[in-house]
Amino acid sequence: MENRQINYDAIAATYAQTRAAAPWVVDFLQQHITRLPAGATVMELGCGTGNHIRALAERLPHYHYAGFDQSAAMLAQARARTNAVQFSQGDAQEQWPYADHAVDLVYNVDVIHYIQDLNTFFSEAKRVLKPGGSLLIVTDSTEDLHNRSLTRFFPEILEYELARYPAAQALHEAAQHAGLHYLGSEAVQGTRPIDDAYIANLAAKCSSALRLISAEAHQAGLERVRQAQQQGQPWHSHYTIHDYTN
């Protein structure tokens, strides 16, 4: 299988225009944040253009919000869209740009499959979290990858996704090695209508996975989506969220 790299600086503007926070993921994160005292610090790792952290800041303004990402261009888009989040640049596989025990809750959405050094990742989570703080990893299980609309309509993506998404057990073992405690996992699902605007976003390759397949496979998938739209089918989103505590 060909190893294809994605230049997120180059596609930052497209991401900002075509991607949005998944409401079912925001709902889940909101439930956890509301358990924290007012003024607690919430941080998103690999925040990209800031969709999820911005949505949370709008819903729950009585908390402090921070986010970091490798891509300067993604962060520029994020900063242009909100003043309620403190954004920083950093690499999740190196030392994170936060002080020891500075954060109450760390989360990431569709980021963990980019992390090659899980030991450093979880060790840094352990370092920046306050005692009793939480780490939430929003990712995709093998079942999610098979059932979500993205891979049903664009089946060529599945091979790449299965190869790059880490197994849950590997995450749990690395977390335990770092001193974090696994509390459990929860499936989070949602649907949305397939409208013309969403098809336009898919045509613009709003998902990074669409940049891993050929132009022919992309066009064939778009035709399947258009057929599903004509039949009134919804778009299905599937996630699995792993919960760890310090």
Side-chain angles (χ1 to χ4, degrees):
M1 183 173 57
E2 182 183 355
N3 182 20
R4 304 185 182 185
Q5 300 296 320
I6 299 169
N7 183 343
Y8 282 94
D9 281 339
I11 64 174
T14 298
Y15 254 47
Q17 294 168 5
T18 62
R19 292 176 68 90
W24 32 94
V25 173
V26 177
D27 289 344
F28 182 94
L29 296 172
Q30 179 177 343
Q31 292 174 12
H32 276 258
I33 294 170
T34 53
R35 301 171 191 166
L36 301 173
T41 299
V42 177
M43 185 264 280
E44 181 177 6
L45 179 153
C47 62
T49 56
N51 292 327
H52 286 89
I53 196 79
R54 179 166 54 92
L56 290 167
E58 290 173 354
R59 289 191 187 189
L60 302 169
H62 301 302
Y63 297 90
H64 297 298
Y65 294 94
F68 83 97
D69 198 276
Q70 273 189 301
S71 170
M74 287 279 192
L75 291 171
Q77 293 287 340
R79 292 186 181 107
R81 301 164 81 194
T82 182
N83 294 319
V85 181
Q86 180 66 47
F87 292 107
S88 303
Q89 189 169 10
D91 187 338
Q93 299 184 100
E94 299 177 359
Q95 183 172 341
W96 298 0
Y98 301 98
D100 295 357
H101 312 306
V103 181
D104 295 273
L105 186 149
V106 174
Y107 75 90
N108 57 82
V109 181
D110 268 340
V111 170
I112 198 64
H113 54 286
Y114 294 106
I115 305 299
Q116 300 299 314
D117 185 353
L118 291 176
N119 289 332
T120 297
F121 172 87
F122 282 106
S123 294
E124 280 299 288
K126 170 75 173 177
R127 180 182 66 79
V128 304
L129 281 171
K130 296 178 181 178
S134 297
L135 168 65
L136 300 175
I137 296 178
V138 185
T139 185
D140 295 272
S141 67
T142 299
E143 184 179 3
D144 295 331
L145 294 173
H146 279 93
N147 292 332
R148 64 183 185 174
S149 288
L150 188 66
T151 40
R152 287 196 296 109
F153 291 127
F154 301 89
E156 294 82 2
I157 288 175
L158 183 60
E159 180 183 10
Y160 290 99
E161 300 288 63
L162 290 173
R164 65 181 186 155
Y165 275 78
Q169 189 59 35
L171 300 180
H172 303 337
E173 290 175 358
Q176 182 180 27
H177 184 264
L180 296 175
H181 305 284
Y182 171 60
L183 298 181
S185 302
E186 185 169 335
V188 177
Q189 303 175 12
T191 61
R192 58 149 298 147
I194 300 176
D195 53 23
D196 290 342
Y198 196 65
I199 293 176
N201 288 347
L202 292 169
K205 301 182 179 179
C206 58
S207 168
S208 64
L210 293 171
R211 299 171 186 276
L212 301 174
I213 60 177
S214 68
E216 293 77 14
H218 182 220
Q219 289 302 314
L222 287 174
E223 182 55 35
R224 295 185 193 100
V225 176
R226 294 187 184 101
Q227 291 174 3
Q229 180 193 35
Q230 293 173 2
Q231 297 167 6
Q233 297 180 27
W235 182 272
H236 292 268
S237 171
H238 293 256
Y239 289 98
T240 295
I241 303 180
H242 304 303
D243 187 354
Y244 306 91
T245 189
N246 190 6

